[in-house]
Amino acid sequence: MNHRIQLDRYKQEIADLYTRRSPTYDSSDWHFQIARRLVEFGQVSSGQQVLDIATGTGHAALATAEIVGSTGRVVGVDIAAGMLDRARQKALELNLNNTELLLADAETLDFANNSFDRIFCSSAFIWMSDLHSALTLWHKFLKPGGIIGIHAFADTAFVAGVVTQKVAEKYGIAFNMSKPTGTVEKCHSLLENAGFEKVDIKIEQNGSYITLEKAKSMWAGISHPAPGQYPPPLSALSPEDLAQAKTEFEVELAALETECGVWNDITTFYVSGRKSVEGTRKILSC
Ligand SMILES: C[S@@+](CC[C@H](N)C(=O)[O-])C[C@H]1O[C@@H](n2cnc3c(N)ncnc32)[C@H](O)[C@@H]1O
């Protein structure tokens, strides 16, 4: 059952977007594969307590629930009721009774300190409003020696986003996309500044050629929320400039077309960090 939660407009738009997507979200196994890799890297074992942040339809939560077994516990949280309903249905079908799926904002969670052995956040970290505060909060929930596993994309990922950024810049607009987590250095700093140690980043070089038409259809426009930015940055443009920016976007994409199509890089980072065994947050000097 979903209780109402208080969301700002940015988060309400994300929740609505994913509730709309929830009926078809599992039709591709792309997110599932990413979540499975993240869980693999997290070395989960029987009896552990696991928190899956922004669990969606429960990919990481349900994979983990099978590993921790009846002596363990998994909590999945998400702001999109439709995604959670789907996750609950899957948990029921798998007969899992060690899994709780809660409608909650990952940035205002209120779990006891030192309560989880593992925390995962797959395909969702970039949606948080304040990455540093979110990590600092989640750090408190980990037990000493506990591990966090976060998935992020490189700032070279998703050709449509990269080209949109380039076009937006010409209009003096910053369009962040994957930039806040987009390099190994940024991921290291984010985790270390939130107090994690032994930060490790596994890089997977994924991607494929897509047709020019498909690439053009990925124009972000202003109809979707943009990760970490509200309102969507392109909404600062007049209707005329927005139309012109879209034309420039298509021209830029056409220039990238090869005989195989347009290369759509999807370089993926699996980032892990540990809470020190002493359990205290390391304060880094500047
Ligand atoms: C791309 S889906 C990923 C879902 C799942 N983790 C997976 O691996 O498939 C992004 C999810 O993040 C959720 N989300 C975004 N911001 C959130 C927040 N502040 N708190 C909780 N969930 C959030 C969305 O509702 C959506 O279900």
Side-chain angles (χ1 to χ4, degrees), residues 220-234:
I222 54 172
S223 54
H224 287 315
Q229 292 179 285
Y230 191 85
L234 292 174

Side-chain angles (χ1 to χ4, degrees), residues 198-209:
K198 295 193 187 299
V199 176
D200 181 49
I201 302 176
K202 299 197 168 41
I203 305 174
E204 289 191 354
Q205 209 78 52
N206 302 315
S208 63
Y209 282 99

Side-chain angles (χ1 to χ4, degrees), residues 73-252:
R73 178 178 74 120
V74 177
V75 180
V77 299
D78 203 285
I79 51 173
M83 297 290 267
L84 281 175
D85 287 343
R86 182 83 197 99
R88 289 189 187 116
Q89 183 60 36
K90 285 157 65 178
L92 210 62
E93 286 161 13
L94 292 167
N95 213 11
L96 293 171
N97 44 24
N98 60 354
T99 308
E100 258 178 284
L101 296 155
L102 308 173
L103 187 70
D105 178 356
E107 295 186 89
T108 58
L109 293 172
D110 191 19
F111 293 111
N113 288 355
N114 307 324
S115 47
F116 292 99
D117 300 283
R118 297 287 181 273
I119 295 181
F120 294 113
C121 183
S122 187
S123 300
F125 183 50
I126 201 70
W127 285 115
M128 300 304 137
S129 303
D130 183 332
L131 302 182
H132 171 72
S133 301
L135 284 173
T136 305
L137 176 69
W138 304 342
H139 182 270
K140 288 190 201 163
F141 302 150
L142 268 182
K143 294 180 189 174
I147 292 174
I148 192 165
I150 286 189
H151 151 256
F153 292 111
D155 54 15
T156 51
F158 304 111
V159 65
V162 172
V163 171
T164 303
Q165 275 172 343
K166 185 175 172 193
V167 171
E169 264 166 34
K170 287 200 220 161
Y171 291 84
I173 289 176
F175 188 70
N176 290 345
M177 280 278 300
S178 307
K179 274 190 191 163
T181 58
T183 64
V184 165
E185 293 72 27
K186 285 179 184 172
C187 291
H188 261 282
S189 301
L190 274 164
L191 263 74
E192 284 160 8
N193 291 339
F196 293 96
E197 59 175 33
K198 295 193 187 299
V199 176
D200 181 49
I201 302 176
K202 299 197 168 41
I203 305 174
E204 289 191 354
Q205 209 78 52
N206 302 315
S208 63
Y209 282 99
I210 56 175
T211 65
L212 179 58
E213 283 321 299
K214 176 149 177 128
K216 285 182 181 173
S217 75
M218 292 169 167
W219 168 245
I222 54 172
S223 54
H224 287 315
Q229 292 179 285
Y230 191 85
L234 292 174
S235 62
L237 294 179
S238 67
E240 297 73 27
D241 281 351
L242 188 61
Q244 177 59 26
K246 185 171 184 219
T247 305
E248 290 171 29
F249 165 79
E250 293 182 352
V251 169
E252 293 275 353

